[in-house]
Amino acid sequence: MDYLIVGSGLSALVFGALMAKSGKQVRILEAHEHPGGFGHTFTMAKKYKFNAQLHYVWDCGEGGSVNRVLKKLNLDRVVTFNNYDRNGFDHMRMPGYSLDIPSKSEELIQRLVALFPADAPRLRQFIEEVEKTSEGLKILSPPLKAIDLFQNIGAVFCTLKYLHSTLQDVFDRFNLPEAAQTLLALQWPDFLLPPEQLSFYAWVILFTGYQKGAFYPTKHFEFAIDSLVKVIEENGGDILYNYEVTDFILKDKTVTGVRAINRLKNKTEEFSAETIICNMDPKKAAQAIGWEKFSKTLQKKLNYDYSPSNFVAYCAVKDIDLRDYGFGEWNTFHSEHSNLNEAFIQMYEKHDFSNPSFAITTPTLLTQEERDCPEGYQIIEFLTVANYAYFKQLKEQDKKAYQKKKTEILDAMLNVMEEHYIPNFRKHLVFKITGTPTTNEHFCGCPQGNSYGSSLTPNNMGIGRLNHHTSLKNFYFCNASSGYPGFAPTFWTGAILYQRLSGDLILSKN
């Protein structure tokens, strides 16, 4: 066996598909019954399909990283994507203000200036700085080319000065009005961090990435995941489900295999390969292997903080068309609080959701090619931040209180829906199920229920960020914490590791 992959998250599936397509032997061990990690799709009540955590994606257009990987796999005409509304892919809503984020920066500036005319110069300067930083981040991404650095020295210096900056730091630098800050950062559930904690780099990458193109899979995420699995299986690879890896086998400084429990038979088996690819959380894997077996440099990189977790409500409605109430080919982000830093503290630290800030997505409205529910029904989902330690304690000590808290959070968001969007929304709600950080931990095996691996703070986004390298032989990380979280970044992570081990360049700079 050439490659044994621990976990079937999206980066692992991309890596496995590329290696299998190239003729290598690939086997994946997956603890869950479904592939895809946070990208997996599950069915409820035999008729409603929900994706665990993916909502919309970027870098999927012609020539983008996702497109180049799919072309390599002969999937670019199979796994296709629909565009979100380029005139407003994110709809930002808060008391007294409304802003649709367009693809063109000049149009965004005009919309912001119309809302805050007294702050026009600062708003323009901020958006122009975002664009310049985005360009600098591209130039500084591997592989570095000296000629690019010299030809774009202004963008490079602009970018480097924000290495340790949060989004709030840059808002303050340009002295933007609080309401403008909130409207620009209202997609904070994409990071589960408020402006005062979120890396400016992380925000710029995502914000400008979606400006270039926000997408949704034409046949939903399940088809995209299944297509990668099909490439692996059609090229001689396999995925063994319900196999939970509990231990790594080492000989000197070389990882030679793993031990895994067959969860259906409660039996431990051993698997070996020339190279072991670790898609499970790197810190969790390092603890299983033995922290002391890694170099001091790796130990430092592995000592990251986990991202916060989330609360998700998966719902279905009937006898209503959500398009009649302002929903469509976009996401809606709503905040009852005018300050996102305070909103985060209220929800995450004080567990008070009486003035919620949250995301609303409507996947049924994003594609007409495949249904995620029967005709006459539509899927709608709500997402916000949640504290793992709090929910873990509730669930273990008082399950009634745990269920009550879940109901309370959903009710707070439904109250907002009925007040601001759809009167009597509850009467159309025919299905609802909620997930908390402990749900993430149980179904996706993520430590502390984290949603994005390492937290996207400046400390975790700098030059010391973990990558696929380990200090052990024949052992590589391939995970959101050793790359970046999200659909497109996990494609990068899997493809970059494939490039490193095969020498076949897919994502090299033009």
Side-chain angles (χ1 to χ4, degrees):
M1 182 64 62
D2 295 311
Y3 293 97
L4 178 65
I5 304 173
V6 179
S8 72
L10 191 53
S11 60
L13 292 178
V14 168
F15 174 85
L18 289 168
M19 278 298 181
K21 187 76 171 176
S22 74
K24 299 297 184 180
Q25 293 177 305
V26 172
R27 167 165 285 169
I28 299 178
L29 302 179
E30 170 54 51
H32 201 289
E33 60 183 328
H34 300 296
F38 271 129
H40 82 270
T41 295
F42 60 95
T43 302
M44 299 300 298
K46 298 182 179 181
K47 58 183 178 181
Y48 308 120
K49 288 189 175 184
F50 303 100
N51 187 268
Q53 203 148 84
L54 296 177
H55 298 101
Y56 64 153
V57 298
W58 51 284
D59 203 21
C60 296
E62 182 67 31
S65 298
V66 173
N67 178 256
R68 282 187 274 176
V69 171
L70 292 176
K71 280 187 176 180
K72 184 72 176 179
L73 297 172
N74 295 327
L75 290 177
D76 55 305
R77 296 189 179 184
V78 178
V79 179
T80 56
F81 300 87
N82 291 353
N83 280 288
Y84 269 55
D85 186 350
R86 295 184 65 82
N87 193 46
F89 57 87
D90 281 345
H91 287 198
M92 311 308 206
R93 304 291 185 262
M94 60 181 285
Y97 293 95
S98 174
L99 174 67
D100 297 347
I101 306 293
S103 294
K104 295 181 179 179
S105 290
E106 184 58 38
E107 178 60 31
L108 173 60
I109 292 170
Q110 295 304 319
R111 293 180 186 184
L112 287 167
V113 168
L115 291 172
F116 310 98
D119 301 283
R122 290 190 291 274
L123 290 164
R124 176 173 291 279
Q125 290 166 5
F126 173 79
I127 297 301
E128 289 175 350
E129 192 84 338
V130 169
E131 291 184 311
K132 199 171 184 179
T133 303
S134 175
E135 187 60 32
L137 286 169
K138 289 180 189 175
I139 296 162
L140 290 167
S141 65
L144 291 176
K145 294 182 179 180
I147 189 170
D148 289 340
L149 294 175
F150 285 117
Q151 290 178 345
N152 299 276
I153 196 70
V156 169
F157 275 116
C158 171
T159 302
L160 289 176
K161 70 185 178 186
Y162 295 121
L163 177 61
H164 303 293
S165 297
T166 66
L167 176 58
Q168 189 62 55
D169 290 334
V170 187
F171 281 157
D172 292 344
R173 179 185 179 95
F174 287 89
N175 195 26
L176 299 190
E178 182 178 81
Q181 296 179 30
T182 300
L183 291 169
L184 285 166
L186 246 181
Q187 78 291 86
W188 73 270
D190 289 344
F191 310 95
L192 296 173
L193 286 177
E196 66 182 8
Q197 296 183 41
L198 177 63
S199 161
F200 181 58
Y201 284 175
W203 183 83
V204 167
I205 291 168
L206 197 75
F207 189 85
T208 60
Y210 279 128
Q211 278 193 302
K212 292 178 177 65
F215 301 92
Y216 185 85
T218 306
K219 295 183 179 180
H220 296 291
F221 287 105
E222 182 177 35
F223 182 77
I225 296 293
D226 288 347
S227 296
L228 293 171
V229 171
K230 187 176 180 181
V231 170
I232 293 170
E233 294 177 340
E234 287 184 343
N235 286 276
D238 60 5
I239 303 180
L240 304 183
Y241 299 103
N242 295 297
Y243 275 84
E244 182 177 359
V245 171
T246 57
D247 192 20
F248 293 83
I249 303 170
L250 273 75
K251 184 177 181 180
D252 298 323
K253 284 282 188 176
T254 302
V255 180
T256 61
V258 303
R259 295 184 183 91
I261 295 176
N262 182 327
R263 297 170 69 177
L264 299 180
K265 298 181 180 179
N266 196 28
K267 178 183 176 182
T268 298
E269 300 179 35
E270 290 191 1
F271 299 87
S272 61
E274 290 293 321
T275 303
I276 311 300
I277 306 298
C278 182
N279 179 238
M280 68 186 287
D281 177 71
K283 185 190 287 190
K284 183 178 179 180
Q287 290 166 344
I289 291 170
W291 201 259
E292 73 285 354
K293 292 184 171 65
F294 292 87
S295 69
K296 296 296 184 182
T297 300
L298 254 294
Q299 289 179 30
K300 185 177 181 180
K301 290 184 177 183
L302 285 163
N303 193 30
Y304 50 79
D305 297 322
Y306 288 116
S307 86
S309 190
N310 59 17
F311 174 93
V312 187
Y314 306 96
C315 303
V317 293
K318 186 183 179 185
D319 298 328
I320 188 175
D321 190 337
L322 296 170
R323 286 167 289 204
D324 295 337
Y325 295 89
F327 299 96
E329 296 173 345
W330 48 80
N331 294 316
T332 301
F333 295 91
H334 184 101
S335 183
E336 285 290 279
H337 209 297
S338 61
N339 184 302
L340 293 180
N341 297 313
E342 294 177 8
F344 182 88
I345 291 171
Q346 186 175 350
M347 294 186 295
Y348 188 72
E349 297 181 11
K350 298 181 179 179
H351 323 299
D352 177 0
F353 293 82
S354 57
N355 293 296
S357 180
F358 61 101
I360 308 168
T361 64
T362 52
T364 311
L365 307 184
L366 300 173
T367 177
Q368 302 302 311
E369 188 161 327
E370 291 283 334
R371 296 289 304 178
D372 52 2
C373 58
E375 291 288 346
Y377 297 78
Q378 292 176 359
I379 300 296
I380 184 168
E381 300 171 1
F382 308 96
L383 182 147
T384 192
V385 74
N387 187 301
Y388 168 78
Y390 173 76
F391 275 94
K392 180 77 169 177
Q393 184 178 28
L394 270 186
K395 190 172 185 180
E396 290 179 347
Q397 296 183 1
D398 190 341
K399 289 187 177 180
K400 286 186 178 179
Y402 172 78
Q403 294 296 334
K404 183 179 179 181
K405 192 65 180 181
K406 291 205 297 180
T407 300
E408 173 196 315
I409 297 173
L410 178 56
D411 278 343
M413 293 190 285
L414 295 181
N415 288 341
V416 170
M417 284 294 293
E418 293 193 332
E419 180 179 354
H420 297 283
Y421 298 96
I422 306 175
N424 301 313
F425 176 77
R426 284 178 172 87
K427 78 175 186 179
H428 299 285
L429 194 60
V430 295
F431 179 85
K432 58 185 179 183
I433 186 171
T434 55
T436 73
T438 59
T439 311
N440 290 349
E441 180 182 47
H442 177 73
F443 285 105
C444 297
C446 48
Q448 299 178 24
N450 75 81
S451 293
Y452 297 122
S454 57
S455 190
L456 296 172
T457 59
N459 283 343
N460 289 328
M461 289 292 292
I463 56 178
R465 185 177 175 84
L466 187 69
N467 59 26
H468 58 263
H469 292 288
T470 76
S471 51
L472 301 177
K473 295 179 182 178
N474 299 352
F475 185 66
Y476 298 89
F477 294 130
C478 185
N479 171 274
S481 295
S482 63
Y484 294 97
F487 187 86
T490 50
F491 263 72
W492 306 344
T493 301
I496 288 170
L497 182 55
Y498 165 77
Q499 290 182 168
R500 163 71 175 79
L501 298 182
S502 69
D504 179 20
L505 298 183
I506 304 172
L507 303 183
S508 59
K509 291 183 180 179
N510 296 326

